[in-house]
Amino acid sequence: MGYPEDALAPDEELILHTHPHWKMLFWPIVTLIVVTAVAGFLGGLVWRTADESMRSILLLVVLVVWLLILAWRSIAPIVTWKSTHFIVTDRRVLVREGVMTHTGLDIPMSRISSVQFRHGLVDRMFGTGELIIGSSSEEPLEYSDIPDVEQVHALLYHQVFEAAPRYGGF
């Protein structure tokens, strides 16, 4: 069994498992490309212009700075994206985040009082948006960069309001 199945109860059915939309990786990937190009240019410049005694030290400095920027602005966001899970089952909504420190939130379907979504022009172009889940006792929970947010909204609405048992003939 894979990750989300391990978090489920024995008779719980997995309906949706997704990571945030890849849109959140746009700037980290742009940073990767730009920083690599700049490091390559600086490495070539150092190789051609520095004397032999300073060349190794300067190339090492360029390499270390490149690795630090890469780890901070590219690798960390990619790992964060990969370790963030949005899961919908027939009983609850689960959100799991983190690599070193794990955080999790479970919202039982019976506690959800409203489901909304919001997406602007750019989000609509990318097919993503923000999902807002209102629970009966807390402030609404907002989840950004949910892929296919309209379908997730409809799915969650159906799970909460249409599939729920009706009482008293209503």
Side-chain angles (χ1 to χ4, degrees):
M1 284 190 152
Y3 165 67
E5 290 83 10
D6 294 342
L8 304 181
D11 57 344
E12 193 170 14
E13 181 184 342
L14 178 66
I15 297 172
L16 173 72
H17 173 223
T18 188
H19 297 283
H21 194 271
W22 61 265
K23 176 189 86 155
M24 74 179 288
L25 298 177
F26 178 77
W27 289 115
I29 291 170
V30 168
T31 301
L32 168 72
I33 293 167
V34 170
V35 169
T36 301
V38 169
F41 174 77
L42 291 176
L45 188 64
V46 165
W47 186 263
R48 294 190 68 181
T49 59
D51 60 5
E52 287 187 37
S53 62
M54 289 298 292
R55 185 179 295 160
S56 296
I57 293 170
L58 291 174
L59 285 175
L60 187 61
V61 167
V62 168
L63 177 67
V64 167
V65 170
W66 175 75
L67 285 172
L68 288 173
I69 293 172
L70 201 66
W72 174 47
R73 300 296 294 172
S74 294
I75 295 172
I78 290 170
V79 170
T80 299
W81 172 83
K82 186 67 175 159
S83 65
T84 301
H85 303 269
F86 184 81
I87 302 164
V88 177
T89 73
D90 58 342
R91 294 184 189 172
R92 57 191 170 142
V93 175
L94 298 86
V95 178
R96 300 289 188 263
E97 299 175 304
V99 176
M100 301 298 271
T101 303
H102 295 270
T103 58
L105 176 69
D106 294 8
I107 307 168
M109 291 292 181
S110 62
R111 305 272 300 173
I112 295 175
S113 59
S114 67
V115 182
Q116 304 172 32
F117 71 91
R118 174 177 39 229
H119 55 178
L121 180 62
V122 174
D123 285 338
R124 285 197 314 263
M125 289 185 336
F126 283 110
T128 184
E130 186 171 10
L131 187 67
I132 303 145
I133 301 173
S135 67
S136 54
S137 64
E138 301 173 8
E139 291 291 318
L141 302 167
E142 299 182 8
Y143 302 102
S144 300
D145 295 320
I146 299 293
D148 300 318
V149 71
E150 290 184 57
Q151 285 85 8
V152 174
H153 170 265
L155 172 84
L156 203 51
Y157 183 86
H158 174 73
Q159 282 297 117
V160 172
F161 299 111
E162 293 179 8
R166 300 186 189 268
Y167 300 102
F170 297 111

